[in-house]
Amino acid sequence: MAAPSIDFFYEFASSYSYPAAMRAGEVAERAGVTLRWRPFLLGPIFADLGLTTSPFNTQPAKGRYMWRDLQRTMAAASLPFRMPDPFPQNSLLAARVATALPDDGKRAAFSRAVYRAAFGDGAQIADAEVLGRLLRDIGVEPAPLLVAAGSDAVKQALRAAVEAAKAAGIFGAPSFVTADGELFWGNDRLDQAVAWAARGA
Amino acid sequence: MAAPSIDFFYEFASSYSYPAAMRAGEVAERAGVTLRWRPFLLGPIFADLGLTTSPFNTQPAKGRYMWRDLQRTMAAASLPFRMPDPFPQNSLLAARVATALPDDGKRAAFSRAVYRAAFGDGAQIADAEVLGRLLRDIGVEPAPLLVAAGSDAVKQALRAAVEAAKAAGIFGAPSFVTADGELFWGNDRLDQAVAWAARGA
């Protein structure tokens, strides 16, 4: 029987993807579940709904609540948190770089670094120099990766990830999809998703 | 020092208010926190945002997910669950009846019965006869309550609850507000809200 696995769909502009990315690896490993890191973009999915920005921006009370809830969540996790400016950040380049990296630990390490930069340090993750520094920090030479990130193969792979997300019924991030197609949405559902995957395998 | 308390804002049309209402009393009591049952209406709050129905209806993928997530949630809680038809139900009369009841246990008992009828049994909670039966089940004579529910005093009290919800920053249901003004949104935040209230007191 195959080892249980879970597809972790994350978007670098998504605030609740930050706490999820910081602990998903550990939670999955503890349960013996393989985590597939699947960067994708929410923009095309929101656009299908006629939305042009984050619901946290169009609904001020919801936006204010989100920041306060994240402050509490990140304080409980002892992780730094600050509001990115602008929010949401343009996440296209970061998603392409993550897609260009192999999912053998490097993609996870880069992804965690991007979240920490965006939501912990206030860095501009649309900036190729910022991403280059984060790559260097995890031991990856930036130049070839940034070239690969602009290739047709990577662009197509990222588009395929968005299509896979839509096909799985995804409408927000972070989302988790088990091998039997069960969808879980939100940082609050990470543990439940991993438990489902471990039980089903 | 006063005993810790929490305002539990709930809306009878709100799906996630169902699991919250079924366990809020027990969770609060275990922590020594007094729960104030505050029925309110989301309609006027959504209308301020230009929304005319539930976001679960305007976003089909999100709606499909919500039902599946609630199925899982209610199965884990061993509570019956079915999709109300129509969704959302018109909750105005139920909210007025709940407002007319004293918050001494009767309001909580009636509110739980309404949720179970709407989301467990598929009953039409806009129907005065359905609500009358639920009142009788908890030992309250229906006729005087249904008359009181139509009084100006009760209508004003319910409008005041909506204003109090807005002032607290509420944009969805269920929501929990502690004595120090901390807001928690969603069934997933019930335990955290109660812990906050217990700690702060």
Side-chain angles (χ1 to χ4, degrees):
Chain A
M1 201 150 76
S5 70
I6 219 166
D7 280 16
F8 168 36
F9 282 91
Y10 57 100
E11 147 71 85
F12 286 115
S14 149
S15 53
Y16 284 100
S17 293
Y18 170 37
M22 300 315 268
R23 66 193 191 92
E26 196 189 329
V27 172
E29 191 177 1
R30 214 183 306 133
V33 170
T34 301
L35 199 67
R36 279 200 289 259
W37 288 71
R38 304 203 64 178
F40 80 119
L41 301 171
L42 271 178
I45 292 175
F46 282 175
D48 283 353
L49 293 167
L51 306 173
T52 54
T53 182
S54 164
F56 296 125
N57 285 344
T58 51
Q59 300 182 28
K62 193 170 192 171
R64 277 190 297 274
Y65 174 79
M66 177 193 71
W67 294 115
R68 180 62 182 146
D69 186 55
L70 276 166
Q71 278 180 336
R72 293 188 303 235
T73 300
M74 303 321 288
S78 301
L79 285 167
F81 177 63
R82 67 161 77 175
M83 208 156 128
D85 181 18
F87 175 81
Q89 294 267 298
N90 185 326
S91 56
L92 179 60
L93 183 58
R96 285 181 177 165
V97 172
T99 303
L101 282 164
D103 190 9
D104 64 355
K106 288 289 183 199
R107 184 185 291 169
F110 172 74
S111 298
R112 280 189 294 260
V114 171
Y115 280 113
R116 184 144 190 153
F119 291 95
D121 307 332
Q124 299 295 317
I125 59 162
D127 184 337
E129 281 190 39
V130 168
L131 299 183
R133 176 172 55 73
L134 299 178
L135 285 168
R136 213 172 285 116
D137 287 350
I138 61 160
V140 173
E141 185 59 41
L145 246 292
L146 290 167
V147 170
S151 69
D152 282 346
V154 163
K155 289 177 185 174
Q156 276 173 23
L158 184 55
R159 275 196 292 267
V162 173
E163 290 309 312
K166 281 188 200 175
I170 287 174
F171 54 89
S175 287
F176 310 92
V177 182
T178 61
D180 57 347
E182 196 73 16
L183 171 62
F184 297 85
W185 171 51
N187 177 51
D188 288 336
R189 289 288 177 276
L190 166 59
D191 302 82
Q192 202 179 321
V194 167
W196 185 285
R199 210 167 46 228
Chain B
M1 201 149 76
S5 70
I6 218 166
D7 280 16
F8 169 35
F9 283 91
Y10 57 100
E11 145 73 84
F12 286 115
S14 149
S15 53
Y16 285 100
S17 292
Y18 169 37
M22 300 316 269
R23 64 193 192 90
E26 196 189 329
V27 172
E29 190 177 2
R30 213 183 306 133
V33 170
T34 300
L35 199 66
R36 280 199 288 259
W37 287 71
R38 304 203 63 179
F40 80 118
L41 300 171
L42 270 178
I45 293 176
F46 281 175
D48 284 354
L49 292 166
L51 306 174
T52 54
T53 183
S54 163
F56 296 125
N57 285 345
T58 52
Q59 300 182 28
K62 194 171 192 171
R64 278 189 297 273
Y65 174 78
M66 178 193 68
W67 294 115
R68 180 63 183 144
D69 187 55
L70 277 166
Q71 278 180 335
R72 293 188 304 236
T73 300
M74 303 322 288
S78 300
L79 285 168
F81 176 65
R82 67 162 75 175
M83 208 155 128
D85 180 17
F87 175 81
Q89 293 267 299
N90 185 325
S91 56
L92 180 61
L93 182 58
R96 284 181 178 165
V97 172
T99 302
L101 283 164
D103 191 8
D104 62 356
K106 288 289 184 200
R107 184 185 290 170
F110 173 74
S111 299
R112 280 190 294 260
V114 171
Y115 281 114
R116 185 141 189 160
F119 293 95
D121 306 332
Q124 299 295 318
I125 60 162
D127 184 336
E129 282 189 39
V130 169
L131 299 183
R133 176 173 54 77
L134 300 178
L135 284 168
R136 213 172 285 118
D137 286 350
I138 62 161
V140 173
E141 186 58 41
L145 245 293
L146 290 167
V147 170
S151 69
D152 283 347
V154 163
K155 288 178 185 175
Q156 277 174 22
L158 183 55
R159 275 197 291 269
V162 173
E163 290 310 312
K166 282 188 199 174
I170 287 174
F171 55 90
S175 287
F176 309 92
V177 183
T178 61
D180 58 348
E182 196 74 15
L183 171 63
F184 297 85
W185 171 51
N187 177 51
D188 289 336
R189 290 288 178 276
L190 165 60
D191 302 83
Q192 202 179 320
V194 167
W196 185 286
R199 211 167 46 229

